[in-house]
Structure formats: C-alpha cells, structure tokens
Amino acid sequence: MAATDPNESLFVRPLGAVEKNPTALKVILGGKLRELRVAAGLDPADVDGRLGFSRSKTSRIELGRHGCKNADALALLGLYGVDGEERIAEFLRLVEQSHRPDWWRSFNDVLSDFFTPLVALEGAAERIRTYEPFYVPGLLQIPEYTTAVITNGPEHLLSHDVMRRVELRQERQRHLDEPDAPHLWTVLDESVLLRTVGGPEVMRAQLKHLIAMMERPRVSLQIAPLDVSAAVGVGTGVTYLRFALGGLKDAVYIEHLTDSTFTQKPQTVEQYRNMLDRLGACALTPAESRAMLEKRLDAY
C-alpha cells in the first residue's frame, strides 16, 4: 500500500486520555493494523503465513487481545507498505506505551473477570452515561457508602477484600479529577434516595457528595421519578461508554446480580443508547434533581 504522504499521521490526533490507557491503545493499534491489512488485500491467514506467526496471532493482535511487539509491528507495517519515518516512529511509540501495565492490574486479587472490560476502558472514554436503579453509581460513591454496598452484597467477603474493593472504586473515581476527565452523565432512580444504605450518617454524607459533584462542569446528574423509570422499563444498571476516536467502538456494560454483559455490538449499543436518551428526556432536570437531593438531605 503506497502512502499518499509518508509523514502524515496514521491516527486521528490528539488521542487524549487514550494514550494513558494501555488497553485502549492495544485496541486502537489493532484496529489500525486491521485497516491497513484490508487495504493491502490480505487476510489474517495470509499474514500469519508470510510473517511466520503462530495461527491466529494476527487476529488476536487486531482485536487488542495480544500485545504487539516492536518487531511484529515493524514486520506488519512493512508487509502493508507503510513508509515514512515519522509514521513508523509514531506507531512504535504508541506500541511502547501500550506495553505499560494497566493501573487496575494491581487489583487483580479482587477484580472480577466480568468487571474488567469496564474498568479497563472507562478511563479512556470521552463520555460515560449511566443509569442506576438500586444504588448511587460507583463513580459517585463515598467510601463509607461503597463499604456498605459491598458488605451487604451477595458475596461473603473478608474485611481485607472489602477494603480492597473500596480502594478499587476510589481509584476509578480519580479519572474524574484528570484534566481530560470524561463527561459523566448519570440518571439515578428516585428509589435510590429512599434506601438508607450504611445508616443515616452515611446517607447524609453521600447526598452532600452528590450535590457537590453536580457543581463540576463535567458531571451531570438527573433523578428519574418512580413513574418515569417504571414507564421506560430499564430494570437494571447500565453504563454506556462513548469514545472520541473511531478506533474504539462505543460500548455498553449491563449489570446482573452475579455477573454482567459487556458488548460493543452496534445494534445492542444503539438500543441502550436510545433507552438512556428516553430516560434523560423524561427525568427531572439537573436543577430539579438538585432540589430533590436537598429535600431528601433535609429529611435525614
């Protein structure tokens, strides 16, 4: 494949938060390699054979499931006809960054396999949209509230494991403090405000925290009255991730009692996006939601 401009970037820039997210980089690099392979008129088996790769290695790299080594990247770019020192150097720089350990790997002792995709990619999202029917969403929980939720959950955990899960949730929240933090938009079911999780003192502190977070320009919170959430018929917690770059498909994380579904299938993602749109349109405005939070706070 002949490049029209050998010094032109292969990527849409800037990459922003994605560059600090090794998992997201692997997915983007893999997607770009797939794009280059298709343009070169090759299929994965052809590439595996020509470069002496093990079976399905090319496919695993393209899916972001297999880290791409520098030597492999150079071989692939050469096979696909990519030239230009700047292009190749930029690609290799991103490959190097994708080799860094993800921050969440230090929590592998308490991080469930079904929860990993959300934790791995939410920090790279441009926008996070959530609906929560039972609890305050994890990104907006105070530690005491998180402790109560985990302690009262279906699992019987040691105090150390509870503490570690609380720490994990706090680390996830740090993304909201970054200069390129994602926009967090959440719809909270009114019933969440009626449940006293962790006792009155914890709930007071949690409600104050929600009100304070609403002051942030990148945080939006709406309350869905009981009749609204019943009419829309969501029934479970949903997190929608939207990425600024075409190399990362939008994703939906759907919570169940003991597991979850994480999917990037366009049809499923679109269904949940439409559902969140309907919820947002029917829910109270942010100003009305703040008034409800303050009223509930006064009741404690």
Side-chain angles (χ1 to χ4, degrees), residues 135-186:
Y135 300 106
V136 170
L139 290 175
L140 294 175
Q141 291 178 5
I142 61 172
E144 296 82 2
Y145 187 97
T146 303
T147 300
V149 170
I150 295 173
T151 302
N152 296 325
E155 296 180 83
H156 298 288
L157 301 172
L158 298 174
S159 58
H160 173 267
D161 292 333
V162 173
M163 180 186 69
R164 290 284 289 155
R165 293 192 181 194
V166 173
E167 291 174 352
L168 170 61
R169 199 153 300 182
Q170 289 180 283
E171 285 297 319
R172 290 173 55 212
Q173 294 173 8
R174 295 187 196 281
H175 295 310
L176 301 180
D177 297 324
E178 298 289 339
D180 50 4
H183 292 261
L184 175 63
W185 173 81
T186 185

Side-chain angles (χ1 to χ4, degrees), residues 21 35 65 108 122 146 176 212 223 227 242 261-262 271 290 293:
N21 189 302
E35 178 185 317
R65 297 173 182 171
N108 278 342
E122 66 182 356
T146 303
L176 301 180
I223 305 297
D227 57 342
R242 181 164 184 80
T261 300
F262 185 89
Q271 288 175 339
R290 180 187 178 109
L293 288 171

Side-chain angles (χ1 to χ4, degrees), residues 7-120:
N7 294 321
E8 182 182 350
S9 174
L10 291 170
F11 304 93
V12 177
R13 305 309 298 258
L15 295 181
V18 169
E19 294 206 32
K20 298 180 289 187
N21 189 302
T23 296
L25 275 180
K26 288 184 179 72
V27 174
I28 287 178
L29 290 166
K32 177 55 65 174
L33 288 171
R34 181 184 183 280
E35 178 185 317
L36 293 170
R37 173 181 59 75
V38 171
L42 300 169
D43 62 35
D46 291 332
V47 177
D48 289 339
R50 293 194 189 190
L51 298 182
F53 287 172
S54 59
R55 183 181 177 184
S56 300
K57 179 176 179 178
T58 297
S59 294
R60 294 196 302 274
I61 290 175
E62 290 180 358
L63 290 170
R65 297 173 182 171
H66 189 291
C68 186
K69 298 179 181 178
N70 285 18
D72 293 339
L74 283 172
L76 289 164
L77 294 176
L79 180 61
Y80 300 153
V82 176
D83 54 9
E85 292 184 6
E86 290 186 20
R87 279 183 156 200
I88 295 173
E90 178 187 39
F91 198 97
L92 292 180
R93 181 179 64 80
L94 293 177
V95 168
E96 285 288 347
Q97 289 180 227
S98 75
H99 293 164
R100 295 173 303 169
D102 289 282
W103 68 266
W104 47 265
R105 293 196 181 277
S106 62
F107 289 93
N108 278 342
D109 55 324
V110 292
L111 186 57
S112 303
D113 290 342
F114 67 78
F115 192 45
T116 298
L118 175 65
V119 174

